[in-house]
Amino acid sequence: MILTMKHALRPSGGLANFGCVSAELFGVLLLSLALAGAQALTPSHHLSLSDVGRLQNLLNQPYDDLESAYYSVVGLTKLGAAVPDPAEVCQFLKSQLDPGSVDSLFFAAETSKAISGCEIPVSNETRDILLAAVSEDSSMSQIHRAVGALSSLGLPLASQEVVGALTARINKEDNVMAIISALQAASRLSQQAELGGILEEIEDLTARLDDLGGVYLQFEEGLEATGLFVAAAYSLSDHVDMEPPLKEDQVIQLVNSIFSKKSWDSLSEAFSVASAAAALSNNRFHVPVVVSAQGPATVSHNQPTLQLLVTDVMSQPLASASVLVESAYALASKSTVLNQAPFTHNNGVFELNFMSSKPASGYYQFTIGVTGDSRLVANHIELKVKVSTEVAVTNMDLSVVDKDQSIGTKTTRVQYPSKAKSSFTADSHQNFAMSFQLVDVNNEQELTPHQTFVRLHNQKTGQEVVFVAEPDSKNLYKFELDTAERKSEFDSMSGTYSLYLMVGDATLENPILWNVADVILKFAEEEAPVAVQPKTLYVPKPEIQHLFREPEKKPPTVVSNTFTALVLSPLLLLLILWFKLGANISNFSFSPSTILFHLGHAAMLGLMYVYWTNLNMFQTLKYLAIIGGITFLAGNRMLAQKAVKRIAAEQSSRLAKYRSLR
Amino acid sequence: MSNSVVSVISRFLEEYTTTTPNKLKVVDAYLLYILLTGAMQFLYCLLVGTFPFNSFLSGFIACVGSFILAVCLRIQINPQNKGDFLSISPERAFADFLFAHTVLHLVVMNFIG
């Protein structure tokens, strides 16, 4: 823990600018973080040897244009792989070269520089085209490619002019890829030039990275941008010999992002990953370390050495590294087992004979430190190591004890792995008892494994019942079977049961399944089921028939018909009464409005019937509006005429009455 | 007691048949018809059951509504009530009766199912 702190407080390039007080405050902050239990980040992804192979295969594909040739050849050289057939590559470059295009010149020049013995012919025109491209009017990518081509072709270039063009261009083109191109271009310039302004862009770009869960750090533009950024940042930092303003955790987060993707979509993406891998394994400031156990992190009596692989992000072994166990403590008892124990280097693998310190079986937490190079990042890791052992069963005693203790117990000792010669009988008045001890074969200590089960298996019916054997305070395991009490678990089936002891644990190399004896159990058969039915959980269940909703009970048709007649009968009575009263239609005037009114009225009643049978409310209202309108107008006319007639009749009768009175 | 009731009823009937104009008697006959129809429907419902309930309701409401509208018509065309309905002529009363019936029938038909 203290080593971690000292390491973290080492002043980096950025921190050196602050004053002493700020450094102290920073230290206090780190102390509190360390006390809070924050662990330094270690890489969760890196390029294993098979990943590197796959990347090489992808880069090795045949190409048909200069850009693909550039990615392929330069990518392979970055991975340290050999370029197949360099002479053919050189021929291809010369044939495909377009001396008027800056891009074409860049790809050809860079590729030719990667393979030795390939010279691209340069003319004055070419040089002029390239120099003309270096101005603040070209795009950043053009400036970078022109600078790269000029540098690779060995042509002179004015570094200060380039810096001016780059700085002016950064103001206009603010996106991530443009600034990465600027960094790449700056790393090709002379060291005397004023590169400070461009160097500051690294810090700005770092601020633009997205932090995902504290584990990944990447640009939203994607993996390619992140990879190219890492390559460009370290290349420029190496060029000016100033540590990049990336914190250790940020470096590891970048490693996680770039190497988390194991299959690459395009040649340019593969190239960016290869560039980043090369930059991170070989720069002057930060080299992330990948420590992993070879095989499972387990030691035992047969395999006493813990073997570790310590490599860089490309799975290349670190040249000068010494590995040390800073501390190791048992997880169960928290007692320290090792302190500052070194690993020995053996054939590319770091080994430690852990069993020589005679650890008890269980899990141990190792804190491992890798030293030897001041550039190493994430060089303290926590590793959980398992120590496994073999168990032996001793002092296995079986006995049948009478419940009232009147008859003395008879104990039979059984040796593993043989079976007891005679079988034991227990009925409802007796208990069957078993006791044993579990010891570690190597150091004669008592063990308490996770799984100590006693299994009773009925030979005839296949039924099995499992119990747990518990240790007492002296780690002596005891198991007692009370025949009367446990009869429900056996379903009261009497018979011969095979008794097995099952012992298992994650730290045991030899789990035990031991048929100890046969036990004949006799239950008082009060409610003995005839045979044991196996659980019928998975048998098809009876089919459910769907019950349709039953229609409601209707009254018999006779009743309905009777009541229909009864309901209609008052109509008959009405007609009779009207006839008797002398109601008539003698006053019916056959004027058109009257006829129209009656027709309309009849139509409305007819519409009601049609509504009942066919229509919905909206249609009915529509028809009703039409018919009703006609009926209303006709009826209005008719009634007005009637009113006129009535008033005339009243007036004439009044006149007649007046005259008769006179 | 029954004597007086019988005499009241006979007196009432006598007055009714002599003083009521014919027009009103026609309407009264109609009212009796509606009443009996409604009573029959209710009897069915009591005896046999309410299935289907919506049909019973719509039939019964038709009878009740028609009865009420006919009573209104009778009140409005009674010459003795002329003073209360100065602005409503008998023709107007009849027209209102027809319109209200149209609405009632629309509702009843909707509900009859």
Side-chain angles (χ1 to χ4, degrees):
Chain A
M1 206 54 124
I2 300 172
L3 273 176
T4 321
M5 274 228 9
K6 266 205 234 165
H7 182 81
L9 279 176
R10 175 176 58 106
S12 58
L15 265 183
N17 295 334
F18 294 124
C20 260
V21 178
S22 308
E24 257 180 12
L25 280 177
F26 195 75
V28 169
L29 174 67
L30 272 180
L31 173 65
S32 57
L33 269 180
L35 285 176
Q39 303 274 351
L41 207 54
T42 54
S44 45
H45 300 282
H46 67 283
L47 287 180
S48 67
L49 287 169
S50 59
D51 292 333
V52 173
R54 217 171 326 116
L55 190 58
Q56 277 179 1
N57 281 343
L58 179 59
L59 288 170
N60 220 345
Q61 280 173 357
Y63 41 78
D64 52 2
D65 63 355
L66 272 182
E67 190 170 350
S68 309
Y70 163 69
Y71 288 136
S72 176
V73 172
V74 180
L76 281 173
T77 47
K78 284 202 198 269
L79 288 178
V83 178
D85 212 353
E88 201 182 306
V89 175
C90 198
Q91 207 51 40
F92 177 78
L93 293 178
K94 289 188 187 151
S95 66
Q96 292 278 328
L97 175 65
D98 170 15
S101 146
V102 174
D103 293 335
S104 174
L105 285 165
F106 170 73
F107 293 134
E110 294 283 295
T111 315
S112 73
K113 192 147 169 243
I115 47 180
S116 57
C118 186
E119 287 278 336
I120 304 283
V122 176
S123 67
N124 277 348
E125 282 167 353
T126 316
R127 192 193 56 187
D128 291 336
I129 291 172
L130 289 175
L131 285 173
V134 179
S135 85
E136 64 182 57
D137 298 318
S138 327
S139 74
M140 190 69 88
S141 138
Q142 288 288 87
I143 301 179
H144 160 237
R145 288 185 176 176
V147 170
L150 284 167
S151 162
S152 299
L153 291 172
L155 297 169
L157 59 92
S159 294
Q160 207 51 44
E161 254 181 57
V162 178
V163 171
L166 285 176
T167 317
R169 203 65 212 165
I170 286 177
N171 290 335
K172 290 186 204 158
E173 270 183 82
D174 204 16
N175 60 65
V176 166
M177 287 307 291
I179 301 189
I180 292 176
S181 299
L183 293 175
Q184 287 169 326
S187 63
R188 314 298 284 269
L189 302 176
S190 143
Q191 282 171 335
Q192 273 76 43
E194 295 267 329
L195 298 173
I198 301 180
L199 201 61
E200 280 172 7
E201 294 297 326
I202 299 182
E203 202 166 343
D204 286 348
L205 277 184
T206 314
R208 285 205 222 177
L209 287 161
D210 293 328
D211 185 328
L212 301 176
V215 178
Y216 299 98
L217 202 60
Q218 60 195 45
F219 284 115
E220 66 177 7
E221 282 82 356
L223 173 64
E224 206 176 315
T226 316
L228 288 175
F229 163 66
V230 168
Y234 280 104
S235 128
L236 184 58
S237 304
D238 279 353
H239 189 67
V240 298
D241 204 11
M242 275 191 69
E243 189 174 349
L246 290 167
K247 299 197 208 65
E248 273 184 35
D249 279 356
Q250 287 178 316
V251 177
I252 301 303
Q253 285 177 318
L254 285 166
V255 166
N256 287 341
S257 297
I258 297 172
F259 301 119
S260 62
K261 193 169 176 192
K262 302 295 189 185
S263 76
W264 304 278
D265 299 327
S266 64
L267 211 52
S268 54
E269 198 176 47
F271 174 73
S272 71
V273 171
S275 309
L280 285 168
S281 40
N282 194 8
N283 67 72
R284 282 192 213 156
F285 303 101
H286 301 142
V287 175
V289 170
V290 175
V291 180
S292 55
Q294 189 170 50
T298 307
V299 291
S300 65
H301 206 66
N302 305 333
Q303 231 187 343
T305 48
L306 178 66
Q307 293 177 322
L308 291 184
L309 283 173
V310 179
T311 65
D312 60 13
V313 290
M314 283 200 328
S315 297
Q316 289 168 334
L318 289 178
S320 60
S322 52
V323 186
L324 167 78
V325 178
E326 288 167 7
S327 76
Y329 63 90
L331 278 176
S333 61
K334 304 263 191 280
S335 58
T336 312
V337 178
L338 284 182
N339 209 342
Q340 309 288 327
F343 277 74
T344 49
H345 189 120
N346 186 0
N347 242 4
V349 174
F350 288 88
E351 287 184 348
L352 174 75
N353 188 334
F354 188 35
M355 290 306 283
S356 59
S357 18
K358 304 226 179 297
S361 67
Y363 287 94
Y364 293 83
Q365 187 79 351
F366 276 47
T367 309
I368 296 174
V370 181
T371 51
D373 193 336
S374 59
R375 299 174 299 167
L376 295 177
V377 171
N379 51 351
H380 293 269
I381 62 156
E382 304 270 330
L383 190 66
K384 198 155 130 181
V385 178
K386 180 169 85 171
V387 176
S388 49
T389 182
E390 292 184 13
V391 72
V393 185
T394 59
N395 303 342
M396 168 68 86
D397 292 326
L398 303 170
S399 55
V400 177
V401 185
D402 223 48
K403 276 212 187 136
D404 47 7
Q405 302 276 325
S406 55
I407 309 171
T409 64
K410 193 181 56 161
T411 315
T412 313
R413 172 153 294 196
V414 190
Q415 291 286 4
Y416 177 72
S418 48
K419 190 167 156 176
K421 289 188 214 45
S422 58
S423 52
F424 296 81
T425 312
D427 62 18
S428 48
H429 304 296
Q430 291 158 329
N431 288 347
F432 174 77
M434 189 165 99
S435 76
F436 56 94
Q437 267 184 317
L438 297 170
V439 292
D440 188 337
V441 165
N442 299 317
N443 58 9
E444 306 294 324
Q445 275 182 345
E446 285 128 11
L447 288 177
T448 49
H450 287 157
Q451 298 171 333
T452 48
F453 300 135
V454 176
R455 171 173 169 250
L456 287 147
H457 179 229
N458 188 326
Q459 286 155 356
K460 264 198 309 241
T461 64
Q463 181 197 20
E464 64 177 28
V465 186
V466 181
F467 298 98
V468 179
E470 306 251 329
D472 64 8
S473 52
K474 292 203 246 347
N475 282 344
L476 178 70
Y477 278 86
K478 283 212 174 69
F479 167 68
E480 219 172 81
L481 177 63
D482 187 338
T483 321
E485 211 180 301
R486 296 283 186 192
K487 73 171 178 230
S488 57
E489 271 148 26
F490 288 89
D491 285 338
S492 300
M493 285 292 294
S494 306
T496 312
Y497 287 83
S498 309
L499 184 89
Y500 290 85
L501 176 68
M502 293 162 40
V503 177
D505 190 275
T507 56
L508 288 181
E509 301 222 311
N510 60 337
I512 291 179
L513 176 65
W514 177 21
N515 187 354
V516 185
D518 285 332
V519 180
I520 301 172
L521 294 175
K522 287 202 180 63
F523 296 100
E525 300 191 87
E526 288 134 2
E527 2 108 355
V530 179
V532 174
Q533 263 121 20
K535 298 251 191 287
T536 52
L537 273 179
Y538 304 107
V539 168
K541 297 261 186 346
E543 199 177 323
I544 303 173
Q545 296 290 353
H546 180 72
L547 287 173
F548 285 98
R549 182 169 155 257
E550 286 173 27
E552 299 213 18
K553 271 183 22 162
K554 286 200 277 227
T557 328
V558 179
V559 177
S560 302
N561 289 343
T562 316
F563 271 96
T564 312
L566 271 179
V567 163
L568 289 175
S569 57
L571 186 63
L572 197 67
L573 178 67
L574 177 70
L575 291 172
I576 295 172
L577 278 176
W578 274 355
F579 181 69
K580 274 189 65 187
L581 283 171
N584 52 36
I585 50 168
S586 57
N587 235 358
F588 193 82
S589 58
F590 282 91
S591 65
S593 49
T594 319
I595 298 176
L596 199 62
F597 166 75
H598 280 100
L599 281 176
H601 194 222
M604 284 206 311
L605 292 174
L607 180 68
M608 288 296 138
Y609 175 74
V610 175
Y611 173 40
W612 183 41
T613 50
N614 290 342
L615 304 172
N616 62 33
M617 181 64 98
F618 300 107
Q619 292 166 312
T620 315
L621 283 178
K622 188 174 64 177
Y623 294 136
L624 194 65
I626 303 168
I627 302 176
I630 300 171
T631 314
F632 171 71
L633 291 170
N636 201 13
R637 226 341 158 48
M638 178 193 79
L639 287 175
Q641 288 168 351
K642 272 220 151 19
V644 164
K645 263 196 244 171
R646 175 176 60 87
I647 289 171
E650 274 177 19
Q651 273 190 336
S652 62
S653 72
R654 216 183 299 141
L655 209 57
K657 209 190 288 182
Y658 183 62
R659 278 210 193 110
S660 66
L661 277 177
R662 278 251 225 112
Chain B
M1 236 334 240
S2 57
N3 217 3
S4 55
V5 172
V6 171
S7 65
V8 165
I9 292 176
S10 59
R11 181 71 204 264
F12 168 72
L13 283 175
E14 211 188 294
E15 279 239 18
Y16 177 77
T17 41
T18 45
T19 49
T20 326
N22 234 14
K23 240 190 222 177
L24 293 182
K25 279 193 195 156
V26 166
V27 179
D28 287 337
Y30 176 71
L31 282 172
L32 180 68
Y33 152 67
I34 294 286
L35 187 75
L36 286 175
T37 312
M40 283 296 123
Q41 288 184 334
F42 194 66
L43 189 69
Y44 172 85
C45 180
L46 279 180
L47 290 181
V48 185
T50 57
F51 180 79
F53 195 49
N54 60 313
S55 308
F56 160 68
L57 277 183
S58 93
F60 196 66
I61 297 272
C63 292
V64 169
S66 305
F67 191 84
I68 293 169
L69 289 173
V71 166
C72 292
L73 179 68
R74 189 187 192 280
I75 293 173
Q76 285 178 340
I77 62 175
N78 196 347
Q80 288 174 326
N81 293 341
K82 205 143 177 213
D84 294 325
F85 298 104
L86 279 175
S87 59
I88 304 178
S89 61
E91 287 76 26
R92 172 70 197 275
F94 184 65
D96 285 343
F97 172 77
L98 284 181
F99 177 69
H101 255 286
T102 312
V103 176
L104 177 69
H105 275 112
L106 206 61
V107 172
V108 161
M109 281 311 184
N110 191 29
F111 205 53
I112 204 163

